[in-house]
Amino acid sequence: AGSNGYYNYRHQADVCHAFHLLTEKGGFPAENIIVFMYDDIADNSRNPVKGNIINHPDGPNVYEGVNKDYTGKDCTAENFLAVLRGDKEAMNGVGSGRVLESGPDDNVFVYYSDHGANGLVAMPTGPYLYAKDLVATLQSMHDNKQYKRMAFYLEACESGSMFEGILPNDIDVFATTAATGSQSSYAYYYDKTRGTYLGDEYSINWMENSEEAKFDIETLEQQFKIVANLTHGSQAQQFGSIKSMGSEPIGDFQHYEDARAMYAASAPQILDRHRHAESANCRDVKLDVLQRLYLDEKHPKAKEGLYREIEAEISHRSLADKIFTTIAQDVAREVNMVELRKPVTDWTCYKKAVES
């Protein structure tokens, strides 16, 4: 989970849900799963149910039992890539220190939930994770025979830009994303009690499908089509080794080879699966939540405080719009440049611009 802060509740909820899906239905030992999450949600002062995170209305507590390998300041892009590379030296003394120790006979499943922009996804600490660096790491892993095949599911705005035109189709990576390279993804399941969105639409869709699916029958391609059909706020995308891996059963990545029993009675029950759930453009979540809280608040003083927060958020967004419109006018001589989404071609220049 590449974010922090209570407004981003959903990203850590998504990842905790995925952990339970893989251990409870998938049968994976916890030691086979490495988790990055900032871990500031369960006991957040704004969380009315302390020690509890849910990913579905009235759903189970998905926070309980999750092995948190890297939390707080250890959740960085550099550490994430080092863990993928299996770089034990780099991770010595950091978090749990655990890294991916897969080899040429192992399938790898990666799930990442976060904010994104053109060619990057965020991390709560340190620089962003850039598409070029991620794909270079995947290429290196392939060259060093660190996996047999990999499935990579990515939830973020403009997530398609992390792979489009960059991810080779011959390194045995099947990647799907929540959105195209120019779209926002959508938050899902607004919870009035908790005052936040519980999950993300694409992520909810793939996990709830996996909870119902037969792992040995449903394929990666079939799951992608089901999820794409259910995801209405954005258009889910697929990249990489689609032709050679699309027919692989999802169980090759979401089910442990030594697990014999399929979904047990202890598995979470999914109620009213897509019941008129409220959703929001992920870029508008903070403002959306503040407006909902304002309308629901009964105490005048608290209501006034929320009104000031709304004003501040609108002012901040207006200032950002003004700054980037001015840059577009002065540098590109074209106002609508702000609305365009073009692939990154000069990554050195792009990184300097983003981080300046």
Side-chain angles (χ1 to χ4, degrees):
S3 70
N4 60 355
Y6 195 75
Y7 287 110
N8 296 318
Y9 180 112
R10 62 194 185 277
H11 299 138
Q12 294 183 55
D14 290 338
V15 165
C16 288
H17 184 177
F19 177 90
H20 284 285
L21 170 67
L22 295 173
T23 55
E24 292 172 18
K25 180 173 181 179
F28 281 94
E31 58 265 26
N32 279 48
I33 303 172
I34 300 173
V35 177
F36 279 76
M37 59 182 288
Y38 200 81
D39 197 22
D40 62 340
I41 301 301
D43 293 311
N44 193 286
S45 60
R46 289 188 53 202
N47 189 351
V49 190
K50 295 295 183 285
N52 179 285
I53 296 176
I54 63 175
N55 196 224
H56 186 281
D58 304 316
N61 181 8
V62 294
Y63 180 72
E64 188 175 3
V66 174
N67 286 358
K68 299 175 287 293
D69 294 281
Y70 300 101
T71 60
K73 63 180 178 58
D74 295 332
C75 291
T76 68
E78 182 181 7
N79 288 343
F80 177 71
L81 295 179
V83 166
L84 284 179
R85 293 194 308 269
D87 191 341
K88 289 184 178 181
E89 184 177 347
M91 301 310 293
N92 184 36
V94 181
S96 70
R98 296 175 62 231
V99 299
L100 199 61
E101 298 187 57
S102 52
D105 297 322
D106 296 312
N107 286 341
V108 173
F109 180 67
V110 182
Y111 169 56
Y112 196 108
S113 181
D114 189 21
H115 289 292
N118 191 15
L120 62 84
V121 289
M123 266 291 188
T125 308
Y128 297 118
L129 173 60
Y130 291 91
K132 184 180 180 183
D133 297 332
L134 174 61
V135 173
T137 297
L138 300 182
Q139 180 71 60
S140 172
M141 292 173 69
H142 174 265
D143 295 346
N144 292 321
K145 297 180 170 53
Q146 289 180 272
Y147 65 86
K148 181 180 180 181
R149 291 189 168 181
M150 178 188 294
F152 198 123
Y153 287 13
L154 176 57
E155 169 78 59
C157 291
E158 301 180 37
S159 45
S161 66
M162 293 296 289
F163 298 118
E164 186 175 12
I166 309 171
L167 180 66
N169 61 11
D170 60 354
I171 63 170
D172 297 313
V173 175
F174 182 97
T176 77
T177 64
T180 68
S182 59
Q183 290 177 323
S184 294
S185 58
Y186 274 68
Y188 209 62
Y189 288 148
Y190 182 77
D191 186 280
K192 196 171 182 179
T193 300
R194 289 165 175 79
T196 191
Y197 285 89
L198 304 179
D200 293 279
E201 188 181 23
Y202 158 89
S203 294
I204 289 294
N205 287 334
W206 83 255
M207 284 187 276
E208 293 188 359
N209 172 253
S210 287
E211 285 171 339
E212 299 170 350
K214 291 185 177 180
F215 276 166
D216 58 337
I217 295 176
E218 186 170 313
T219 67
L220 290 172
E221 180 68 18
Q222 288 170 336
Q223 179 161 79
F224 168 74
K225 288 180 177 178
I226 290 168
V227 171
N229 185 55
L230 291 170
T231 304
H232 303 299
S234 58
Q235 293 173 289
Q237 304 290 298
Q238 57 182 341
F239 304 96
S241 303
I242 300 168
K243 290 184 179 179
S244 61
M245 289 182 60
S247 59
E248 291 272 333
I250 59 174
D252 283 2
F253 302 91
Q254 299 177 31
H255 190 260
Y256 189 58
E257 64 176 357
D258 294 333
R260 294 291 177 259
M262 296 305 279
Y263 220 177
S266 61
Q269 183 182 5
I270 301 304
L271 305 172
D272 299 328
R273 188 163 180 225
H274 287 280
R275 54 167 188 181
H276 308 294
E278 295 181 83
S279 63
N281 184 312
C282 284
R283 299 194 185 284
D284 296 329
V285 164
K286 185 176 181 179
L287 185 59
D288 177 280
V289 168
L290 283 171
Q291 289 171 335
R292 289 174 183 273
L293 293 174
Y294 175 81
L295 292 173
D296 290 338
E297 184 56 61
K298 305 300 181 192
H299 301 289
K301 207 164 188 179
K303 203 174 185 77
E304 183 183 344
L306 287 166
Y307 182 77
R308 286 197 296 269
E309 282 193 68
I310 291 169
E311 282 191 318
E313 177 65 13
I314 292 173
S315 176
H316 174 75
R317 291 161 66 112
S318 297
L319 177 61
D321 288 343
K322 182 178 180 181
I323 289 171
F324 282 96
T325 298
T326 301
I327 291 172
Q329 288 175 323
D330 291 350
V331 178
R333 307 295 182 191
E334 190 175 350
V335 177
N336 70 355
M337 187 75 178
V338 176
E339 303 299 324
L340 299 177
R341 297 289 188 277
K342 293 187 176 181
V344 178
T345 54
D346 187 333
W347 286 96
T348 301
C349 176
Y350 184 61
K351 284 185 180 182
K352 286 182 179 178
V354 169
E355 294 171 7
S356 64

